Amino acid sequence: MVIRRIGMLTGGGDAPGLNAVIRAVVKTAIHDYGWEVIGIRNGFDGLIPPTSAEPLTLDDVRGILPRGGTILGTANRGSPLVRRVDSNGRVELVDQTPEAIATLEELGIDALIVIGGDGTLNIGHELAKKGVPVVGVPKTIDNDLPETDQTFGFDTAVLTATEAIDKLHTTAESHHRVMVLEVMGRDAGWIAIHAGIAGGADVILIPEIPFHVRKVVEKIAERDRAGRHFSIVVVAEGAKAAGSGQFYIQPKDELSLGRLGGIGEWLSDTLAMSSGHESRCTVLGHLQRGGTPTAFDRVLATRYGAAAVRSVAKGMFNHMVALKGNRICEVPLERCVGRIRTVPPDGELVQTARGLGISLGI
Ligand code: F6P
């Protein structure tokens, strides 16, 4: 198969390092292979008429390495697999992959690099099953994709959360308060447990281990007895008390996973009533997704982008580039979609946290 022109898009929530991938794809494709690169705007939306795509040159990617966000734009609602379409006043859900595939043909795109998390990679996999030559790049601050040791964006998110914990420590100590920090991660506690350990949290609550408020209160009391009249509690947005459900700001529907959030405020209020301390909640939110990527994420994103171009050159389609140990490899997309990678409740990280005296709420 002769490749002359490749397409690239970024889908789902943004993550620090997206621009580093885009830059690496453009530079490697042009320098090493002499291909043209077409940037598709706003995820798969750019493939649905009216099409939004344009060539990316070396000039277009100059200076973007340290920039957060994505110069291509992204979308994390809707997908060509199920799109809400207005037809004569009636809203219908339709499969628009035929339109997306037709656009790729019109644009003369010989292969498509999709940079995204579970949702985006799943769409890429479905397009691949219909004959589109697709290569995936694993992105998400949540670090919850299977078949790769790390997604880019995670390291930066953990640094942001760790810096927040460091700042909360000083004010918690001054005011003898309980400080609750709610971090992102959806159904995986990777950000919470990494940042919690890095920031020296006293309690870390993750979705994988349903917690008991009583155990959190006991930990705060234990610290009081030791003369430490403040506590730092890191709670993942998807964590839940034993026997209860997750907190949602916006429920799931047929087009989206819903928006998690609210556990931090609830926990802070509950702890204020039961621990004898004032308590405050900080919701770190989208600060975890913004800003300049760490050096680690820049290197990982760059390696992924360059490897994705090499995968296209080798004809290794319907695969995702992945990190195993310190090696970049390729994994079939079907093994990467439809499931997430969560923190093993009996794994080494949890054991390490326990050994440090951190409470996991059980
Ligand atoms: O998946 C990445 C992520 O940042 C999650 O951690 C979070 O729950 C979600 O996206 C937030 O998405 P939105 O951009 O819709 O607020």
Side-chain angles (χ1 to χ4, degrees):
M1 175 180 185
V2 181
I3 304 285
R4 289 188 190 85
R5 184 179 290 165
I6 61 171
M8 167 170 53
L9 60 82
T10 53
D14 66 348
L18 278 167
N19 284 326
V21 181
I22 294 169
R23 173 178 173 271
V25 167
V26 170
K27 287 192 159 208
T28 311
I30 294 175
H31 286 152
D32 285 359
Y33 300 99
W35 299 338
E36 263 187 89
V37 183
I38 305 293
I40 296 149
R41 298 213 169 275
N42 305 322
F44 291 96
D45 286 2
L47 292 176
I48 307 298
T51 303
S52 184
E54 55 200 74
L56 287 175
T57 64
L58 291 173
D59 262 355
D60 294 320
V61 296
R62 194 155 291 143
I64 67 170
L65 178 61
R67 267 171 58 188
T70 159
I71 60 164
L72 291 176
T74 187
N76 65 352
R77 276 185 76 81
S79 131
L81 305 178
V82 233
R83 278 180 78 86
R84 190 172 283 173
V85 171
D86 237 330
S87 99
N88 301 327
R90 271 190 34 233
V91 176
E92 289 176 16
L93 296 179
V94 258
D95 175 3
Q96 288 197 321
T97 47
E99 283 89 334
I101 293 171
T103 303
L104 289 168
E105 280 164 11
E106 274 161 35
L107 292 170
I109 287 174
D110 302 311
L112 180 66
I113 294 178
V114 301
I115 310 162
D118 183 47
T120 306
L121 295 173
N122 184 43
I123 300 166
H125 181 46
E126 291 302 319
L127 289 177
K129 286 201 269 185
K130 294 184 174 171
V132 179
V134 170
V135 173
V137 176
K139 165 245 62 166
T140 168
I141 63 162
D142 303 340
N143 202 31
D144 61 353
L145 287 177
E147 301 294 339
T148 185
D149 289 350
Q150 195 153 331
T151 54
F152 72 85
F154 172 66
D155 188 64
T156 309
V158 169
L159 177 65
T160 301
T162 303
E163 285 172 352
I165 297 170
D166 289 347
K167 289 177 180 171
L168 290 175
H169 253 112
T170 55
T171 174
E173 188 164 13
S174 308
H175 287 266
H176 320 295
R177 281 174 173 161
V178 171
M179 293 303 231
V180 176
L181 178 69
E182 180 183 305
V183 297
M184 282 185 167
R186 296 212 63 88
D187 296 315
W190 295 109
I191 297 177
I193 196 155
H194 276 255
I197 290 174
D202 306 299
V203 179
I204 303 175
L205 304 174
I206 59 176
E208 294 85 348
I209 304 178
F211 65 88
H212 297 271
V213 170
R214 179 175 45 84
K215 290 287 179 184
V216 180
V217 174
E218 275 173 24
K219 178 69 193 174
I220 296 167
E222 176 196 311
R223 285 178 54 76
D224 273 331
R225 286 194 298 276
R228 306 257 182 276
H229 300 293
F230 68 96
S231 291
I232 303 290
V233 179
V234 176
V235 60
E237 62 180 0
K240 49 187 181 283
S244 306
Q246 290 170 313
F247 279 70
Y248 277 92
I249 296 171
Q250 207 176 297
K252 304 178 190 196
D253 60 28
E254 66 279 323
L255 295 182
S256 86
L257 295 169
R259 286 177 61 203
L260 286 162
I263 181 84
E265 282 294 351
W266 174 82
L267 186 63
S268 174
D269 290 349
T270 306
L271 293 177
M273 285 186 292
S274 44
S275 72
H277 284 269
E278 274 194 329
S279 178
R280 297 286 188 270
C281 171
T282 302
V283 180
L284 203 48
H286 294 79
L287 289 174
Q288 291 156 103
R289 294 232 303 253
T292 187
T294 59
F296 180 90
D297 273 339
R298 292 182 201 190
V299 174
L300 182 60
T302 299
R303 292 174 76 192
Y304 279 156
V309 172
R310 292 196 296 269
S311 292
V312 172
K314 286 189 284 187
M316 187 68 103
F317 299 119
N318 205 4
H319 278 65
M320 178 187 88
V321 294
L323 182 73
K324 295 263 168 93
N326 194 26
R327 216 171 53 80
I328 300 286
C329 58
E330 290 129 340
V331 186
L333 268 177
E334 67 185 355
R335 295 223 310 257
C336 309
V337 297
R339 63 195 173 99
I340 61 163
R341 192 175 64 94
T342 51
V343 178
D346 301 319
E348 176 266 331
L349 261 183
V350 169
Q351 199 190 347
T352 298
R354 284 216 176 94
L356 292 169
I358 297 170
S359 165
L360 289 128
I362 51 169

